[in-house]
Amino acid sequence: MTAVAAEAATAPARKPATMAQALNRALRDAMAEDPAVHLLGEDVGALGGVFRITDGLAKEFGEDRCTDTPLAEAGILGTAVGMAMYGLRPVVEMQFDAFAYPAFEQLISHVSRMRNRTRGAMPLPITVRVPYGGGIGGVEHHSDSSEAYYIATPGLHVVTPATVPDAYGLLRAAIASDDPVVVLEPKRLYWSKDDWNPEAPETVPPIGRAAVRRTGTSATLVTYGPSVPVCLEAAEAARAEGWDLEVVDLRSLVPFDDETVCASVRRTGRAVVVHEATGFGGPGGEIAARIGERCFHYLDAPVLRVTGFDIPYPAPMLERHHLPGVDRILDAVGRLQWESGWTEGSAR
Amino acid sequence: MTAVAAEAATAPARKPATMAQALNRALRDAMAEDPAVHLLGEDVGALGGVFRITDGLAKEFGEDRCTDTPLAEAGILGTAVGMAMYGLRPVVEMQFDAFAYPAFEQLISHVSRMRNRTRGAMPLPITVRVPYGGGIGGVEHHSDSSEAYYIATPGLHVVTPATVPDAYGLLRAAIASDDPVVVLEPKRLYWSKDDWNPEAPETVPPIGRAAVRRTGTSATLVTYGPSVPVCLEAAEAARAEGWDLEVVDLRSLVPFDDETVCASVRRTGRAVVVHEATGFGGPGGEIAARIGERCFHYLDAPVLRVTGFDIPYPAPMLERHHLPGVDRILDAVGRLQWESGWTEGSAR
Amino acid sequence: MTVLEQPGAYRPAPPPAWRPRTDAAPLLPDEEPFRVLGTDADIHDLDPLLLTELYRQLVRGRRYNQQATALTKQGRLAVYPSSTGQEACEVAAALVLQDRDWLFPSYRDTLCAVARGLDPVRALTLLRGDWHTGYDPAEHRIAPLCTPLATQLPHAVGLAHAARLKGDDVVALALVGDGGTSEGDFHEALNFAAVWRAPVVFLVQNNGFAISVPLAKQTAAPSLAHKAVGYGMPGRLVDGNDAVAVHQVLSEAVAHARQGGGPTLVEAVTYRIEAHTNADDATRYRGDAEVQAWREHDPVELLERELTARGLLDDAGKRSAREAAEEMAADLRARMNRDPQLDPMELFTHVYSEQTSQLREQAAQLRAELDAEEETR
Amino acid sequence: MTVLEQPGAYRPAPPPAWRPRTDAAPLLPDEEPFRVLGTDADIHDLDPLLLTELYRQLVRGRRYNQQATALTKQGRLAVYPSSTGQEACEVAAALVLQDRDWLFPSYRDTLCAVARGLDPVRALTLLRGDWHTGYDPAEHRIAPLCTPLATQLPHAVGLAHAARLKGDDVVALALVGDGGTSEGDFHEALNFAAVWRAPVVFLVQNNGFAISVPLAKQTAAPSLAHKAVGYGMPGRLVDGNDAVAVHQVLSEAVAHARQGGGPTLVEAVTYRIEAHTNADDATRYRGDAEVQAWREHDPVELLERELTARGLLDDAGKRSAREAAEEMAADLRARMNRDPQLDPMELFTHVYSEQTSQLREQAAQLRAELDAEEETR
Ligand SMILES: Cc1ncc(C[n+]2csc(CCOP(=O)(O)OP(=O)(O)O)c2C)c(N)n1
Ligand SMILES: Cc1ncc(C[n+]2csc(CCOP(=O)(O)OP(=O)(O)O)c2C)c(N)n1
Ligand SMILES: [Mg+2]
Ligand SMILES: [Mg+2]
């Protein structure tokens, strides 16, 4: 028996699961392990959430553990603060990205600050789940990429999975964290499938570690969440143009994994930041600025950004023009000054 | 009579005025000119606002034009939307930066989107005045620099004055604009004085134009609002070190004046972005990224940022450690790789 | 008149100077929802033209709901939140308004806009997905269909207040669901309206559910109409499936507002017969029996039965109503089956009154992409 | 018991099955605020220890307000929002709670925390400006003094709800001002509390003003207590300067909550004798006559007069109360006159449970700056 075969024999069976299933499983496992974990939100009970992420949980753990709240997002997050103050670990579902806005005062003025306000005496282990992003044909207010607001708020962790195992792992890590964590769930990946063994879930990744999804030598695509599969597709397509692209999936926007990102960019000498959110004032500015600060002498070209346009999210029939797609990414890669005379990847 | 003397004789007398007075004057002039201009806010009536920016206006124009509202920020901005839909030009005062958060849903989901939503049929000429920033010894929630949230919201213009004439001019321009404009008023500059002639107010600057406050050749400080005087002070102090710093006051964050910023940085070859807001996810990332994208071949050193730390705004006794001061700016300038062998300002 | 001079202004003074305040009793709703159909009320008093119009609009409204649902199944609409079962509210709300008055609908209220005279295709633009709003709000005095719950209520208050300040005789009528009453914006809007005595009518369509969440998880109040007294405005409770009753209660509220009496909160008790939208699965949270009970209290049938029994409607009248409805449906179907013509470049046109240099750059990028796409085609 | 099984759950059914709902009448407040002092009520029934304690705390509270105001003038506090005139509410709210209960104060309620036993220096930390909260909330069952208006109310609801879910006998009492009742968070908190039947008491100190804005511009309601019925909870109106009355009404509300009866909204009518804070100029928005009228209804004097008249307080008792207050004031003065020792590096300590690499870098930068500063000194 070869080593590989042996590993296959002992490794538990991996089978396809959707990201929605993995998230559901993460909630169930966390609730089973710790009675302090309580879910709150609109329609999270009998309905199982509009995306079915909480499917079956009210039935399994009772309505007191998985509670349909009145329809008021500030109230949901505000009561979660009180519950956390009494030792519970609330997991809050915001039904859609744009419907988290009414809760921003609670989020910014309390959730993110309570620990600091009380000199560490009153941590708030709250998880805020926000289905985000477009590409699902949703009408107005159902497709916002609102991560800029979250990452500009010190005291919050902000994570966003792009794969099925990461969805499980990051949500478990979020719930286990003693800090408030905003989990941005890319809603158009809810139905994406991965081979994954739900019986032996992958190790929960520490919050703050990026993952290199594809190694490459020509340039680095720095991305996260819904744009990761698009970047991987672009990287495949780029081979035809002779480019070997590396794809870094940030997974965690706060804290930010400078190490992984810089190691990659220093190696490739070129970077394109890709995300769906609006460009101006979006996370891409921060990411590009950090790369500029930390990798200046390794850069053979300016760090470019491929992002949503600086416009309100478009209606379903026009959203494809707004979303960063493979062509737009390749176009940016093409503008990385390949003929400018500097040798690729060389430190200056 | 020399030309200079002639000019002095015909030019109206300039006398010292505070930024608060200039803002008050801007509101008064706008109200006198256009009966559609209505002020709304907490304590804007008899009290004249906690910073006295609306002093005397309720008396002069009546309570219907300058209205003390019930205490509810979403309600204030939400009713302003309705008033604008009926053809008024509401000017809303948010009492302090952090107390604008309850109005974020109205701001993001409606104020910024109504024109686009209705294909241009329903513009919302709303001005949202937000006293912002620290340095005034305010307790918690009275010193936030929340500009990251505003600039990441397409559909809003975002301006912030640093001088007395600009305070007048930008507020007039905001009220005159058919688009919603967030006017970030640096509260610690409210009592700053400038020679200014309120009888012949300076031309209203177009929204979107930066101003070079000090010309220099060694490096560019890109800044705005409360940090402009600090940067000017730093530039003076830098002379002792042999640096001749240019200071660009952005005045408008959205739209952004790429032209002025890039022209400066291309000339100096070095840039430091300075603001009070939190660094991570703050406007500085966007600004540095833009400079990196557009001036890459002119840069002799990475674009650095000097900003507030990534922490909740500190209590009064500790705020001086948080705020970007002259020393911290000079320290960053000193890290602009002066000895690295590239010649200053040279294009590569 | 300043706020302080308004009758009933609450200005506490120390005892014994404690002042008389607004009397609460007249603000409280009746115990039972107001009904006309199936009661002893003499509807012969009512304008027969109104009754006919209500009936024709109900029939048309029901047909509209069916057609929109069918179009959704055919993929012609991105989503459709049906108002089947709620037609009495939708129609009555439209008919009580004068032309100059304003309507503030939610996402569920396309029918109300249509009953007011808006072209159904324009009303459905948001839900078809070609743009967010298909009409000029000022032209039709219909605010954009509002998705973020209860956020349209302060808009209605501000608009009504502005109209009053300008001396215009305009009333705003705002629609919201039972779930929406839990949002902070509901509270703030009602409070502003009462303090400003703004000419607004708030109509809560209490259809028993906010998606899957039943009313009992939404409020513990005796009724939603009871919230009114906390703002100092009258609260009225009405059978939301009784088109005549809804019309009457709303008409009174509109007249009250028009005369300077200030806002009213009306709770119409009704039921959402269909799932929340086509994307929803209502079997997960409610049983058939409940739906069946409400089907037997159908707004179209209630009115039809009563008008027929009272000799105000004959077969010809019914047929004519149904034919008009079919005509509307056929036209809607035909027009919705054509693909809308969209110019992607419009994405950059309406963000600001003038394009920023940033948007000009981005528009140029999209233009180039579209041209390239065109070439390779 | 699920929400749906709760008595009075509002589940509309079509007529004639329309269900009986919560009876509104018992939820409505009385016309006049409840008073004990200066009325015929027999206060001999009351525990004399309680009366004495109330009195001593009122005297101490008044002295505390004076001392804090003086310290502000001397620059020892960044700002002080005085509760002079509101001591009856502040003190009674503290005394009705058991040790295990939780208090949710606003920025104006340092006195309530002090009356509950918190060291005044710790209570004043926020206002002195060395840190945002000067105590461990869990240790004292006192939430941080809350500045964003009404945002503490949902916290109180969540905490009370969590305690009930855990089976703990804990009541939460939350304080808010008249202005704060206009915020959406007030609405959402009261609604959640009622739906969840959470053991919470909401005490609105209606002191007539939100900074400069008088109550008549804040609400058109008959009283703020009338808001309760809209949530399905009892509303109570009380003379907020009558310490005995406030204590009694709050005690009943706390007992009701403790017994599983759910939340109560209490409106205490009182007056803010001083300006909003030391930074405010009250002459801009109110006249002396009004202040004078309320001075004559002073909470300390009201109780002192009554206890003296009834032979429950003699000169020795008064002297002893004043001496205790002076002692507290002297100690507070002395300790506040010392500069607090602060370590700027603590800015990075409590943002997260573990410092991020970003914060480590920034901390290193500040460390280096501080070291350099130290050197040049
Ligand atoms: C602020 C906000 N939160 C959440 C949603 C998602 N959502 C859409 S409809 C709905 C239920 C609304 O119920 P109700 O107000 O009773 O109106 P109905 O759908 O019954 O007409 C929810 C939760 C939203 N649109 N806006
Ligand atoms: C959300 C929010 N908006 C505005 C403010 C600014 N502010 C501080 S106190 C105050 C007035 C509060 O009045 P009230 O609730 O009656 O309490 P009081 O000061 O009378 O005790 C205002 C407007 C704030 N703290 N929070
Ligand atoms: Mg409903
Ligand atoms: Mg008050």
Side-chain angles (χ1 to χ4, degrees):
Chain A
M1 203 157 81
T2 64
V4 173
E7 203 190 349
T10 53
R14 294 162 64 91
K15 49 186 185 187
T18 65
M19 183 180 283
Q21 287 166 336
L23 291 165
N24 178 267
R25 179 62 183 254
L27 293 173
R28 191 155 36 138
D29 289 354
M31 292 176 87
E33 253 173 44
D34 184 352
V37 176
H38 281 242
L39 312 194
L40 295 173
E42 294 156 6
D43 304 291
V44 298
L47 188 65
V50 294
F51 293 108
R52 304 292 184 268
I53 308 299
T54 58
D55 197 21
L57 301 177
K59 206 164 173 195
E60 187 168 343
F61 298 99
E63 286 195 18
D64 282 344
R65 296 280 306 280
C66 180
T67 307
D68 279 335
T69 63
L71 211 167
E73 292 77 9
I76 297 170
L77 193 55
T79 51
V81 168
M83 292 168 77
M85 289 175 77
Y86 203 75
L88 299 185
R89 303 185 88 84
V91 181
V92 157
E93 173 172 308
M94 294 285 151
Q95 198 160 80
F96 281 86
D97 27 62
F99 307 142
Y101 302 152
F104 269 19
E105 183 186 30
Q106 286 290 343
L107 190 80
I108 302 171
S109 293
H110 291 301
V111 174
S112 75
R113 301 188 190 192
M114 191 66 86
R115 172 190 286 276
N116 184 67
R117 171 179 299 145
T118 58
R119 292 185 128 133
M122 186 60 84
L124 290 185
I126 298 178
T127 301
V128 184
R129 296 182 37 241
V130 185
Y132 83 119
I136 59 156
V139 300
E140 231 198 343
H141 309 290
H142 289 77
S143 297
D144 284 10
S145 288
S146 35
E147 53 267 37
Y149 305 125
Y150 299 109
I151 69 167
T153 306
L156 301 178
H157 288 312
V158 184
V159 302
T160 178
T163 70
V164 172
D166 271 5
Y168 180 90
L170 287 173
L171 183 50
R172 288 300 304 268
I175 298 172
S177 170
D178 283 340
D179 295 320
V181 183
V182 176
V183 181
L184 296 169
E185 301 174 358
K187 60 175 98 78
R188 70 170 141 132
L189 298 185
Y190 272 151
W191 306 280
S192 68
K193 272 194 179 160
D194 243 329
D195 261 8
W196 175 64
N197 174 16
E199 299 306 316
E202 262 78 355
T203 328
V204 172
I207 290 178
R209 285 284 167 76
V212 178
R213 294 289 172 208
R214 185 188 197 282
T215 53
T217 54
S218 319
T220 304
L221 303 182
V222 184
T223 188
Y224 58 86
S227 297
V228 172
V230 186
C231 283
L232 287 170
E233 208 187 312
E236 278 311 303
R239 291 170 58 180
E241 319 266 337
W243 294 312
D244 179 20
L245 301 182
E246 180 143 318
V247 177
V248 176
D249 170 5
L250 292 170
R251 303 205 287 197
S252 167
L253 295 174
V254 182
F256 190 85
D257 189 349
D258 284 309
E259 215 178 293
T260 302
V261 171
C262 289
S264 173
V265 176
R266 284 181 187 148
R267 242 180 337 92
T268 63
R270 289 177 168 86
V272 178
V273 184
V274 181
H275 62 61
E276 232 181 89
T278 282
F280 197 91
E286 177 62 38
I287 299 166
R290 299 186 84 75
I291 297 174
E293 279 158 7
R294 285 153 200 260
C295 311
F296 186 70
H297 294 295
Y298 299 84
L299 286 175
D300 295 314
V303 180
L304 297 183
R305 291 181 280 170
V306 178
T307 68
F309 295 125
D310 297 339
I311 61 175
Y313 198 87
M317 290 188 183
L318 290 172
E319 67 178 336
R320 74 179 182 88
H321 299 289
H322 176 67
L323 294 169
V326 168
D327 287 347
R328 212 170 279 162
I329 295 169
L330 292 183
D331 178 61
V333 172
R335 282 184 285 118
L336 290 176
Q337 314 192 336
W338 301 98
E339 290 93 34
S340 61
W342 285 286
T343 45
E344 187 183 326
S346 70
R348 284 172 295 162
Chain B
M1 202 155 82
T2 64
V4 174
E7 203 189 352
T10 53
R14 294 164 63 92
K15 48 186 183 187
T18 64
M19 184 180 284
Q21 287 166 337
L23 291 165
N24 178 266
R25 179 63 184 255
L27 294 173
R28 193 156 34 141
D29 289 354
M31 291 175 87
E33 253 173 44
D34 184 352
V37 176
H38 281 242
L39 312 193
L40 296 172
E42 295 156 6
D43 304 290
V44 298
L47 188 65
V50 295
F51 293 108
R52 303 293 183 269
I53 307 300
T54 58
D55 197 21
L57 301 178
K59 206 163 173 197
E60 189 168 341
F61 298 98
E63 286 195 19
D64 282 344
R65 294 280 306 279
C66 179
T67 308
D68 279 333
T69 63
L71 211 167
E73 292 77 9
I76 298 170
L77 194 54
T79 50
V81 168
M83 291 167 76
M85 289 174 76
Y86 203 76
L88 300 185
R89 302 185 89 83
V91 180
V92 157
E93 174 171 307
M94 295 285 151
Q95 199 160 79
F96 281 86
D97 28 60
F99 308 142
Y101 303 152
F104 269 18
E105 184 187 29
Q106 285 290 346
L107 190 80
I108 301 171
S109 294
H110 291 300
V111 175
S112 74
R113 300 186 192 193
M114 191 66 85
R115 172 191 286 276
N116 184 67
R117 170 179 300 144
T118 58
R119 292 184 128 134
M122 186 59 84
L124 290 185
I126 297 177
T127 301
V128 184
R129 296 182 37 241
V130 185
Y132 83 119
I136 59 156
V139 299
E140 230 196 345
H141 310 290
H142 289 78
S143 298
D144 284 10
S145 288
S146 34
E147 52 268 36
Y149 305 125
Y150 300 109
I151 68 166
T153 306
L156 301 178
H157 287 313
V158 185
V159 301
T160 177
T163 69
V164 172
D166 270 6
Y168 180 88
L170 288 173
L171 183 50
R172 288 301 304 268
I175 298 172
S177 170
D178 283 339
D179 295 320
V181 183
V182 176
V183 181
L184 297 169
E185 301 174 356
K187 61 176 98 76
R188 70 169 141 132
L189 298 185
Y190 272 152
W191 306 280
S192 67
K193 274 196 177 157
D194 244 329
D195 262 8
W196 175 64
N197 174 18
E199 298 307 317
E202 263 76 354
T203 329
V204 172
I207 289 177
R209 284 286 167 76
V212 178
R213 294 290 174 207
R214 184 189 197 282
T215 53
T217 54
S218 320
T220 304
L221 302 182
V222 183
T223 188
Y224 58 86
S227 297
V228 172
V230 186
C231 284
L232 287 170
E233 208 187 312
E236 277 314 301
R239 292 170 57 181
E241 318 266 337
W243 293 312
D244 179 20
L245 302 182
E246 180 142 321
V247 177
V248 175
D249 171 4
L250 292 171
R251 303 203 287 196
S252 166
L253 295 173
V254 181
F256 189 85
D257 187 349
D258 284 309
E259 214 178 293
T260 303
V261 171
C262 290
S264 173
V265 176
R266 285 181 186 150
R267 244 183 332 95
T268 63
R270 289 177 169 87
V272 178
V273 184
V274 182
H275 62 60
E276 233 181 86
T278 284
F280 197 92
E286 177 63 38
I287 300 166
R290 298 186 85 75
I291 297 174
E293 281 158 5
R294 287 153 200 261
C295 310
F296 185 70
H297 294 293
Y298 300 85
L299 286 176
D300 296 314
V303 181
L304 297 183
R305 290 182 281 171
V306 179
T307 67
F309 295 125
D310 297 339
I311 60 175
Y313 198 87
M317 290 188 183
L318 290 172
E319 68 178 337
R320 75 177 181 91
H321 299 288
H322 176 67
L323 292 170
V326 168
D327 288 349
R328 210 170 279 162
I329 295 169
L330 292 183
D331 178 62
V333 172
R335 283 185 284 117
L336 291 175
Q337 314 192 336
W338 302 98
E339 289 92 34
S340 61
W342 286 286
T343 45
E344 186 184 327
S346 69
R348 282 171 297 163
Chain C
M1 185 169 68
T2 71
V3 175
L4 286 173
E5 295 156 5
Q6 282 176 12
Y10 182 21
R11 304 200 69 189
W18 183 261
R19 300 253 193 100
R21 286 149 293 127
T22 315
D23 185 9
L27 306 181
L28 291 167
D30 294 336
E31 284 264 309
E32 292 276 320
F34 176 67
R35 296 169 63 201
V36 172
L37 303 179
T39 71
D40 296 337
D42 188 358
I43 66 170
H44 283 95
D45 283 359
L46 293 169
D47 179 3
L49 277 180
L50 169 66
L51 292 174
T52 312
E53 175 68 1
L54 273 175
Y55 175 71
R56 291 178 65 87
Q57 287 271 12
L58 283 189
V59 172
R60 187 169 179 260
R62 175 62 50 84
R63 189 65 191 87
Y64 167 83
N65 269 319
Q66 288 164 346
Q67 186 57 61
T69 301
L71 285 165
T72 311
K73 288 198 182 117
Q74 293 151 23
R76 282 289 168 186
L77 291 179
V79 65
Y80 186 66
S82 167
S83 59
T84 300
Q86 304 178 215
E87 289 92 347
C89 293
E90 300 281 322
V91 163
L95 297 194
V96 293
L97 296 180
Q98 300 293 323
D99 229 40
R100 62 186 177 281
D101 295 333
W102 273 74
L103 179 71
F104 286 79
S106 83
Y107 53 89
R108 194 175 298 289
D109 307 310
T110 53
L111 172 55
C112 189
V114 168
R116 222 192 159 199
L118 184 66
D119 173 1
V121 173
R122 289 178 165 270
L124 288 168
T125 299
L126 168 78
L127 304 168
R128 173 158 70 172
D130 40 323
W131 202 271
H132 311 296
T133 300
Y135 50 92
D136 176 352
E139 185 191 338
H140 299 276
R141 273 84 58 213
I142 302 176
L145 299 161
C146 187
T147 299
L149 293 162
T151 55
Q152 73 277 24
L153 305 182
H155 305 172
V157 177
L159 183 135
H161 179 59
R164 202 170 68 118
L165 291 180
K166 285 194 175 183
D168 295 348
D169 171 23
V170 168
V171 172
L173 192 156
L175 304 181
V176 67
D178 48 307
T181 64
S182 295
E183 289 281 5
D185 274 17
F186 172 87
H187 176 70
E188 301 188 10
L190 268 74
N191 189 42
F192 273 67
V195 169
W196 286 350
R197 258 183 133 70
V200 199
V201 177
F202 301 98
L203 172 59
V204 179
Q205 289 191 61
N206 173 3
N207 63 7
F209 287 90
I211 309 187
S212 71
V213 179
L215 194 64
K217 292 187 182 179
Q218 204 65 249
T219 184
S223 80
L224 296 171
H226 274 87
K227 293 183 183 291
V229 67
Y231 305 103
M233 68 174 77
R236 297 288 168 252
L237 194 55
V238 63
D239 181 344
N241 287 14
D242 179 335
V244 178
V246 178
H247 189 277
Q248 192 162 320
V249 169
L250 287 180
S251 293
E252 283 166 20
V254 167
H256 185 69
R258 211 180 285 293
Q259 285 148 25
T264 301
L265 172 65
V266 177
E267 175 187 357
V269 182
T270 180
Y271 196 78
R272 197 194 71 210
I273 292 291
E274 304 290 338
H276 172 66
T277 68
N278 51 298
D280 179 36
D281 174 7
T283 64
R284 284 186 163 241
Y285 53 81
R286 69 183 188 189
D288 271 352
E290 186 177 303
V291 184
Q292 199 44 45
W294 279 94
R295 276 193 194 278
E296 274 148 34
H297 193 64
D298 182 81
V300 190
E301 278 171 29
L302 276 184
L303 187 61
E304 181 169 297
R305 222 180 295 148
E306 181 111 357
L307 294 188
T308 310
R310 300 206 183 212
L312 294 165
L313 181 70
D314 57 11
D315 282 351
K318 287 186 208 169
R319 206 177 321 113
S320 149
R322 254 174 249 145
E323 277 167 12
E326 275 314 322
E327 209 172 296
M328 175 277 302
D331 177 64
L332 176 57
R333 204 165 46 233
R335 288 164 63 213
M336 292 295 283
N337 277 327
R338 271 175 244 139
D339 287 330
Q341 291 307 308
L342 296 171
D343 177 6
M345 294 310 293
E346 201 183 339
L347 288 175
F348 303 98
T349 314
H350 313 298
V351 186
Y352 299 102
S353 49
E354 271 178 64
Q355 255 175 45
T356 62
S357 68
Q358 284 76 37
L359 285 182
R360 276 196 303 273
E361 285 175 13
Q362 294 167 31
Q365 185 188 348
L366 181 59
R367 178 77 279 157
E369 288 177 12
L370 294 170
D371 290 348
E373 231 177 68
E374 195 65 29
E375 260 169 45
T376 59
R377 215 177 269 158
Chain D
M1 186 169 70
T2 70
V3 174
L4 286 173
E5 294 155 7
Q6 282 177 12
Y10 181 22
R11 304 200 68 188
W18 182 260
R19 299 250 195 102
R21 287 148 293 126
T22 315
D23 184 9
L27 306 181
L28 291 168
D30 292 337
E31 284 263 311
E32 290 277 319
F34 177 66
R35 296 170 63 200
V36 172
L37 303 179
T39 71
D40 296 337
D42 187 0
I43 67 169
H44 283 94
D45 281 0
L46 292 169
D47 180 2
L49 278 180
L50 169 66
L51 293 173
T52 312
E53 175 67 3
L54 275 174
Y55 175 71
R56 291 177 64 89
Q57 287 269 15
L58 283 189
V59 172
R60 188 168 177 261
R62 175 60 52 85
R63 188 68 191 84
Y64 167 83
N65 268 320
Q66 289 164 344
Q67 185 57 61
T69 302
L71 285 165
T72 311
K73 289 198 181 120
Q74 292 150 26
R76 282 291 169 184
L77 291 178
V79 64
Y80 186 66
S82 168
S83 59
T84 300
Q86 303 179 216
E87 290 93 346
C89 293
E90 298 281 322
V91 162
L95 297 193
V96 293
L97 295 180
Q98 300 293 321
D99 229 41
R100 62 185 177 282
D101 294 333
W102 272 74
L103 179 71
F104 286 80
S106 83
Y107 53 89
R108 194 175 298 288
D109 307 309
T110 53
L111 172 54
C112 189
V114 168
R116 223 194 157 196
L118 184 66
D119 174 1
V121 173
R122 289 178 165 271
L124 288 168
T125 299
L126 169 77
L127 304 169
R128 173 157 71 172
D130 41 323
W131 202 270
H132 311 295
T133 300
Y135 51 91
D136 176 352
E139 185 190 339
H140 299 276
R141 271 84 57 214
I142 302 176
L145 299 161
C146 187
T147 298
L149 292 162
T151 56
Q152 73 277 25
L153 305 182
H155 304 173
V157 176
L159 184 134
H161 179 60
R164 201 170 70 117
L165 290 180
K166 285 195 175 183
D168 294 350
D169 171 23
V170 167
V171 172
L173 192 155
L175 304 181
V176 66
D178 47 308
T181 64
S182 295
E183 289 281 4
D185 274 17
F186 171 87
H187 176 70
E188 300 188 10
L190 269 75
N191 189 41
F192 274 66
V195 169
W196 287 350
R197 259 183 131 70
V200 198
V201 177
F202 301 98
L203 172 59
V204 178
Q205 289 190 60
N206 172 3
N207 63 7
F209 287 90
I211 308 185
S212 70
V213 180
L215 194 63
K217 291 186 184 180
Q218 204 64 250
T219 184
S223 79
L224 297 171
H226 274 87
K227 293 182 183 291
V229 68
Y231 305 104
M233 68 174 79
R236 298 286 168 253
L237 194 56
V238 63
D239 180 345
N241 287 13
D242 179 336
V244 178
V246 179
H247 190 276
Q248 193 162 319
V249 168
L250 288 180
S251 293
E252 283 166 20
V254 167
H256 185 69
R258 211 180 284 295
Q259 286 149 25
T264 301
L265 172 65
V266 178
E267 174 187 357
V269 182
T270 179
Y271 196 77
R272 198 194 70 209
I273 293 291
E274 305 290 338
H276 172 66
T277 67
N278 51 298
D280 179 37
D281 174 7
T283 63
R284 283 185 165 242
Y285 53 81
R286 70 184 188 188
D288 271 351
E290 185 176 304
V291 184
Q292 199 44 45
W294 279 94
R295 276 195 195 279
E296 273 147 35
H297 192 63
D298 183 82
V300 190
E301 278 171 29
L302 277 185
L303 186 60
E304 182 169 295
R305 221 181 293 147
E306 181 111 357
L307 294 189
T308 309
R310 300 207 183 209
L312 294 165
L313 181 69
D314 58 11
D315 282 350
K318 290 185 204 167
R319 206 178 317 114
S320 148
R322 257 174 247 145
E323 278 166 13
E326 276 314 323
E327 208 172 293
M328 176 276 303
D331 176 64
L332 177 57
R333 204 164 45 231
R335 288 164 63 211
M336 292 296 283
N337 277 327
R338 271 175 245 140
D339 287 330
Q341 291 306 309
L342 296 171
D343 177 6
M345 294 309 293
E346 202 182 340
L347 288 176
F348 303 99
T349 314
H350 311 298
V351 186
Y352 298 103
S353 49
E354 271 178 63
Q355 255 174 46
T356 61
S357 68
Q358 284 76 37
L359 285 182
R360 277 195 303 274
E361 286 175 13
Q362 293 167 30
Q365 185 188 348
L366 181 59
R367 178 77 278 159
E369 288 177 13
L370 294 170
D371 290 347
E373 230 177 70
E374 193 66 28
E375 260 170 43
T376 59
R377 217 176 267 158

